[in-house]
Amino acid sequence: MTVLVTGATGNVGRRVVDRLLASGAEVRALTRNPETAGLPAGVEVFGGGLGDAEPLREALDGVDRVFLFPVPESTATFVEQAKAAGVRRVVLLSSLAVEFGEENAIGQRHRLIEQAIEDNGFEWTFVRPGAFATNALAWAESIRSEGAVREPFPGALQAPIHEDDIAAVAVTALLEDGHAGKAYPLTGPELISLADQVRAIGDAIGRDVRFEEETPEQAKARMVAQGTPEAIADTLVGYRATAGQNPAPPVPTVQQVTGRQARTFPEWAADHVGDFS
């Protein structure tokens, strides 16, 4: 069995690579910068992106299964090349935002990719995480330099999911039967406020970290200045507002699929001490 991992240097993709190697699978990776990818020995690395037809064709030759990182503008090229290569199984890293309705900009982008995979005969599984615990890495610089985090809605409740728990579900769907045609919503095991996430990081690194509340308008302006499209920034700020008033409950999918309880945010923080120190 040969599995191609796209987005192999990302937070989730790298964990997928590690888990596949541990299982004994033959692993290939597609990355734009193979010379700096830092992937483990045993991974066959191909240079290129999902929209680059020739490198993608070479990477897919002989591949049975693919972990697909979502790149909307490259979906058509991937589908064409994967069908031509005889790829059977595709596990897509999608988003829980797909389930939030048609007005959600993030969900719309992911749903278009899901539909392309559904409509082209693959044996598919959609992995739909909600809030990533790794979103907190955006706070790393200000925590290191100032001991502070600035966000709106300190009481907003989320159930952030550890990237390795996402990878565990994805690899289960890649390697085991019984997951075809399933869309798996994924969250962490418990709700935790933004302010308590900051406290958990402080506890993990042994420092006091302040939470300084922004207005929603300040948060949106900061995101846009950092390169986030305005529609996505509106959606992200809207998530926080909703989570402050009507938080979505956690779901037990990680345990149902893998047989192991999802990790809590304090456990994630303990795993990432080096990123904040």
Side-chain angles (χ1 to χ4, degrees), residues 171-207:
V171 170
T172 300
L174 283 165
L175 299 182
E176 299 180 5
D177 293 332
H179 303 281
K182 303 287 184 64
Y184 288 133
L186 302 180
T187 70
E190 60 186 18
L191 291 170
I192 181 171
S193 71
L194 292 181
D196 284 340
Q197 290 176 41
V198 172
R199 290 190 191 97
I201 294 169
D203 290 343
I205 64 176
R207 291 179 58 192

Side-chain angles (χ1 to χ4, degrees), residues 25-163:
E26 296 290 328
V27 182
R28 293 182 184 176
L30 183 70
T31 175
R32 290 193 178 278
N33 300 297
E35 63 282 355
T36 59
L39 292 166
V43 177
E44 189 176 6
V45 181
F46 290 79
L50 277 175
D52 301 327
E54 184 59 24
L56 181 59
R57 184 191 65 77
E58 294 176 1
L60 287 168
D61 184 28
V63 164
D64 180 63
R65 304 169 191 211
V66 175
F67 173 76
L68 181 60
F69 184 85
V71 182
E73 60 273 18
S74 301
T75 303
T77 301
F78 169 77
V79 167
E80 178 183 1
Q81 295 298 325
K83 288 176 68 176
V87 169
R88 179 167 61 92
R89 182 174 297 183
V90 176
V91 175
L92 171 68
L93 179 62
S94 185
S95 170
L96 192 58
V98 169
E99 302 181 10
F100 296 166
E102 294 183 358
E103 299 304 314
N104 185 287
I106 295 173
Q108 285 179 338
R109 287 164 57 89
H110 284 86
R111 183 57 191 148
L112 288 173
I113 303 172
E114 289 187 353
Q115 287 175 327
I117 301 303
E118 284 177 356
D119 293 345
N120 279 280
F122 300 109
E123 188 180 288
W124 57 264
T125 304
F126 301 146
V127 177
R128 292 176 174 172
F132 283 51
T134 52
N135 291 345
L137 294 175
W139 303 333
E141 182 178 351
S142 65
I143 287 175
R144 287 192 299 264
S145 62
E146 304 175 63
V149 167
R150 296 175 185 87
E151 290 283 351
F153 310 112
L157 293 168
Q158 301 174 318
I161 183 164
H162 197 302
E163 65 275 16

